[in-house]
mmCIF file with all atom_site columns, all heavy atoms in Angstrom:
data_model
loop_
_atom_site.group_PDB
_atom_site.id
_atom_site.type_symbol
_atom_site.label_atom_id
_atom_site.label_alt_id
_atom_site.label_comp_id
_atom_site.label_asym_id
_atom_site.label_entity_id
_atom_site.label_seq_id
_atom_site.pdbx_PDB_ins_code
_atom_site.Cartn_x
_atom_site.Cartn_y
_atom_site.Cartn_z
_atom_site.occupancy
_atom_site.B_iso_or_equiv
_atom_site.pdbx_formal_charge
_atom_site.auth_seq_id
_atom_site.auth_comp_id
_atom_site.auth_asym_id
_atom_site.auth_atom_id
_atom_site.pdbx_PDB_model_num
ATOM   1  N N   . ARG A 1 54  ? -4.839  11.707 6.135  1.00 98.00 ? 338  ARG A N   1
ATOM   2  C CA  . ARG A 1 54  ? -5.356  11.788 7.499  1.00 98.00 ? 338  ARG A CA  1
ATOM   3  C C   . ARG A 1 54  ? -4.599  12.867 8.237  1.00 98.00 ? 338  ARG A C   1
ATOM   4  O O   . ARG A 1 54  ? -3.464  13.192 7.888  1.00 98.00 ? 338  ARG A O   1
ATOM   5  C CB  . ARG A 1 54  ? -5.187  10.433 8.223  1.00 98.00 ? 338  ARG A CB  1
ATOM   6  C CG  . ARG A 1 54  ? -6.201  9.375  7.791  1.00 98.00 ? 338  ARG A CG  1
ATOM   7  C CD  . ARG A 1 54  ? -5.840  7.981  8.256  1.00 98.00 ? 338  ARG A CD  1
ATOM   8  N NE  . ARG A 1 54  ? -4.652  7.509  7.568  1.00 98.00 ? 338  ARG A NE  1
ATOM   9  C CZ  . ARG A 1 54  ? -4.657  6.907  6.371  1.00 98.00 ? 338  ARG A CZ  1
ATOM   10 N NH1 . ARG A 1 54  ? -5.789  6.672  5.750  1.00 98.00 ? 338  ARG A NH1 1
ATOM   11 N NH2 . ARG A 1 54  ? -3.529  6.543  5.796  1.00 98.00 ? 338  ARG A NH2 1
ATOM   12 N N   . TYR A 1 166 ? -15.371 11.134 2.740  1.00 98.00 ? 450  TYR A N   1
ATOM   13 C CA  . TYR A 1 166 ? -14.322 11.341 3.746  1.00 98.00 ? 450  TYR A CA  1
ATOM   14 C C   . TYR A 1 166 ? -12.994 11.771 3.141  1.00 98.00 ? 450  TYR A C   1
ATOM   15 O O   . TYR A 1 166 ? -12.052 12.089 3.864  1.00 98.00 ? 450  TYR A O   1
ATOM   16 C CB  . TYR A 1 166 ? -14.094 10.031 4.527  1.00 98.00 ? 450  TYR A CB  1
ATOM   17 C CG  . TYR A 1 166 ? -13.875 8.839  3.603  1.00 98.00 ? 450  TYR A CG  1
ATOM   18 C CD1 . TYR A 1 166 ? -12.653 8.598  3.016  1.00 98.00 ? 450  TYR A CD1 1
ATOM   19 C CD2 . TYR A 1 166 ? -14.942 7.996  3.279  1.00 98.00 ? 450  TYR A CD2 1
ATOM   20 C CE1 . TYR A 1 166 ? -12.469 7.549  2.137  1.00 98.00 ? 450  TYR A CE1 1
ATOM   21 C CE2 . TYR A 1 166 ? -14.768 6.935  2.408  1.00 98.00 ? 450  TYR A CE2 1
ATOM   22 C CZ  . TYR A 1 166 ? -13.526 6.724  1.833  1.00 98.00 ? 450  TYR A CZ  1
ATOM   23 O OH  . TYR A 1 166 ? -13.366 5.696  0.949  1.00 98.00 ? 450  TYR A OH  1
ATOM   24 N N   . GLN A 1 204 ? -5.801  5.601  -8.545 1.00 97.00 ? 488  GLN A N   1
ATOM   25 C CA  . GLN A 1 204 ? -6.745  5.593  -7.408 1.00 97.00 ? 488  GLN A CA  1
ATOM   26 C C   . GLN A 1 204 ? -7.902  4.650  -7.673 1.00 97.00 ? 488  GLN A C   1
ATOM   27 O O   . GLN A 1 204 ? -8.550  4.175  -6.748 1.00 97.00 ? 488  GLN A O   1
ATOM   28 C CB  . GLN A 1 204 ? -7.278  7.004  -7.118 1.00 97.00 ? 488  GLN A CB  1
ATOM   29 C CG  . GLN A 1 204 ? -6.247  8.011  -6.663 1.00 97.00 ? 488  GLN A CG  1
ATOM   30 C CD  . GLN A 1 204 ? -5.606  7.647  -5.336 1.00 97.00 ? 488  GLN A CD  1
ATOM   31 O OE1 . GLN A 1 204 ? -6.014  6.719  -4.650 1.00 97.00 ? 488  GLN A OE1 1
ATOM   32 N NE2 . GLN A 1 204 ? -4.563  8.383  -4.979 1.00 97.00 ? 488  GLN A NE2 1
ATOM   33 N N   . PRO A 1 272 ? -10.622 -2.249 -1.485 1.00 98.00 ? 556  PRO A N   1
ATOM   34 C CA  . PRO A 1 272 ? -11.024 -1.575 -0.246 1.00 98.00 ? 556  PRO A CA  1
ATOM   35 C C   . PRO A 1 272 ? -12.526 -1.606 -0.017 1.00 98.00 ? 556  PRO A C   1
ATOM   36 O O   . PRO A 1 272 ? -13.301 -1.217 -0.887 1.00 98.00 ? 556  PRO A O   1
ATOM   37 C CB  . PRO A 1 272 ? -10.536 -0.135 -0.450 1.00 98.00 ? 556  PRO A CB  1
ATOM   38 C CG  . PRO A 1 272 ? -9.382  -0.291 -1.390 1.00 98.00 ? 556  PRO A CG  1
ATOM   39 C CD  . PRO A 1 272 ? -9.813  -1.375 -2.342 1.00 98.00 ? 556  PRO A CD  1
ATOM   40 N N   . GLN A 1 274 ? -13.874 -0.384 3.120  1.00 98.00 ? 558  GLN A N   1
ATOM   41 C CA  . GLN A 1 274 ? -14.078 0.773  4.015  1.00 98.00 ? 558  GLN A CA  1
ATOM   42 C C   . GLN A 1 274 ? -15.012 0.460  5.173  1.00 98.00 ? 558  GLN A C   1
ATOM   43 O O   . GLN A 1 274 ? -14.729 0.820  6.310  1.00 98.00 ? 558  GLN A O   1
ATOM   44 C CB  . GLN A 1 274 ? -14.564 2.040  3.262  1.00 98.00 ? 558  GLN A CB  1
ATOM   45 C CG  . GLN A 1 274 ? -13.833 2.369  1.974  1.00 98.00 ? 558  GLN A CG  1
ATOM   46 C CD  . GLN A 1 274 ? -12.347 2.645  2.134  1.00 98.00 ? 558  GLN A CD  1
ATOM   47 O OE1 . GLN A 1 274 ? -11.808 2.588  3.229  1.00 98.00 ? 558  GLN A OE1 1
ATOM   48 N NE2 . GLN A 1 274 ? -11.660 2.903  1.031  1.00 98.00 ? 558  GLN A NE2 1
ATOM   49 N N   . ASP A 1 312 ? -8.986  -2.012 2.648  1.00 98.00 ? 596  ASP A N   1
ATOM   50 C CA  . ASP A 1 312 ? -8.816  -0.867 3.550  1.00 98.00 ? 596  ASP A CA  1
ATOM   51 C C   . ASP A 1 312 ? -10.097 -0.744 4.353  1.00 98.00 ? 596  ASP A C   1
ATOM   52 O O   . ASP A 1 312 ? -11.192 -0.914 3.793  1.00 98.00 ? 596  ASP A O   1
ATOM   53 C CB  . ASP A 1 312 ? -8.653  0.454  2.773  1.00 98.00 ? 596  ASP A CB  1
ATOM   54 C CG  . ASP A 1 312 ? -7.385  0.540  1.949  1.00 98.00 ? 596  ASP A CG  1
ATOM   55 O OD1 . ASP A 1 312 ? -6.498  -0.305 2.107  1.00 98.00 ? 596  ASP A OD1 1
ATOM   56 O OD2 . ASP A 1 312 ? -7.291  1.482  1.126  1.00 98.00 ? 596  ASP A OD2 1
ATOM   57 N N   . SER A 1 346 ? -10.586 10.098 10.171 1.00 98.00 ? 630  SER A N   1
ATOM   58 C CA  . SER A 1 346 ? -9.972  11.382 10.458 1.00 98.00 ? 630  SER A CA  1
ATOM   59 C C   . SER A 1 346 ? -10.667 12.423 9.584  1.00 98.00 ? 630  SER A C   1
ATOM   60 O O   . SER A 1 346 ? -10.603 12.341 8.356  1.00 98.00 ? 630  SER A O   1
ATOM   61 C CB  . SER A 1 346 ? -8.476  11.277 10.128 1.00 98.00 ? 630  SER A CB  1
ATOM   62 O OG  . SER A 1 346 ? -7.884  12.534 10.002 1.00 98.00 ? 630  SER A OG  1
HETATM 63 N N1  . SAH B 2 .   ? -8.331  5.242  -4.058 1.00 95.26 ? 1009 SAH B N1  1
HETATM 64 C C1  . SAH B 2 .   ? -8.229  4.270  -3.061 1.00 95.26 ? 1009 SAH B C1  1
HETATM 65 C C2  . SAH B 2 .   ? -7.771  4.746  -1.704 1.00 95.26 ? 1009 SAH B C2  1
HETATM 66 C C3  . SAH B 2 .   ? -6.899  5.903  -1.535 1.00 95.26 ? 1009 SAH B C3  1
HETATM 67 S S1  . SAH B 2 .   ? -6.680  6.487  0.102  1.00 95.26 ? 1009 SAH B S1  1
HETATM 68 C C4  . SAH B 2 .   ? -9.598  3.663  -2.866 1.00 95.26 ? 1009 SAH B C4  1
HETATM 69 O O1  . SAH B 2 .   ? -10.600 4.273  -3.139 1.00 95.26 ? 1009 SAH B O1  1
HETATM 70 O O2  . SAH B 2 .   ? -9.646  2.574  -2.351 1.00 95.26 ? 1009 SAH B O2  1
HETATM 71 C C5  . SAH B 2 .   ? -6.226  5.039  0.987  1.00 95.26 ? 1009 SAH B C5  1
HETATM 72 C C6  . SAH B 2 .   ? -7.139  4.712  2.115  1.00 95.26 ? 1009 SAH B C6  1
HETATM 73 O O3  . SAH B 2 .   ? -7.086  5.697  3.115  1.00 95.26 ? 1009 SAH B O3  1
HETATM 74 C C7  . SAH B 2 .   ? -8.615  4.622  1.783  1.00 95.26 ? 1009 SAH B C7  1
HETATM 75 O O4  . SAH B 2 .   ? -8.969  3.427  1.172  1.00 95.26 ? 1009 SAH B O4  1
HETATM 76 C C8  . SAH B 2 .   ? -9.258  4.793  3.131  1.00 95.26 ? 1009 SAH B C8  1
HETATM 77 O O5  . SAH B 2 .   ? -9.402  3.557  3.779  1.00 95.26 ? 1009 SAH B O5  1
HETATM 78 C C9  . SAH B 2 .   ? -8.262  5.639  3.889  1.00 95.26 ? 1009 SAH B C9  1
HETATM 79 N N2  . SAH B 2 .   ? -8.768  6.998  4.095  1.00 95.26 ? 1009 SAH B N2  1
HETATM 80 C C10 . SAH B 2 .   ? -9.024  7.928  3.175  1.00 95.26 ? 1009 SAH B C10 1
HETATM 81 N N3  . SAH B 2 .   ? -9.506  9.053  3.748  1.00 95.26 ? 1009 SAH B N3  1
HETATM 82 C C11 . SAH B 2 .   ? -9.549  8.817  5.079  1.00 95.26 ? 1009 SAH B C11 1
HETATM 83 C C12 . SAH B 2 .   ? -9.962  9.585  6.214  1.00 95.26 ? 1009 SAH B C12 1
HETATM 84 N N4  . SAH B 2 .   ? -10.430 10.828 6.081  1.00 95.26 ? 1009 SAH B N4  1
HETATM 85 N N5  . SAH B 2 .   ? -9.853  9.017  7.445  1.00 95.26 ? 1009 SAH B N5  1
HETATM 86 C C13 . SAH B 2 .   ? -9.387  7.759  7.586  1.00 95.26 ? 1009 SAH B C13 1
HETATM 87 N N6  . SAH B 2 .   ? -8.983  7.004  6.555  1.00 95.26 ? 1009 SAH B N6  1
HETATM 88 C C14 . SAH B 2 .   ? -9.071  7.513  5.314  1.00 95.26 ? 1009 SAH B C14 1
#
Side-chain angles (χ1 to χ4, degrees):
R338 284 167 292 274
Y450 51 80
Q488 296 297 352
Q558 315 299 1
D596 294 349
S630 163

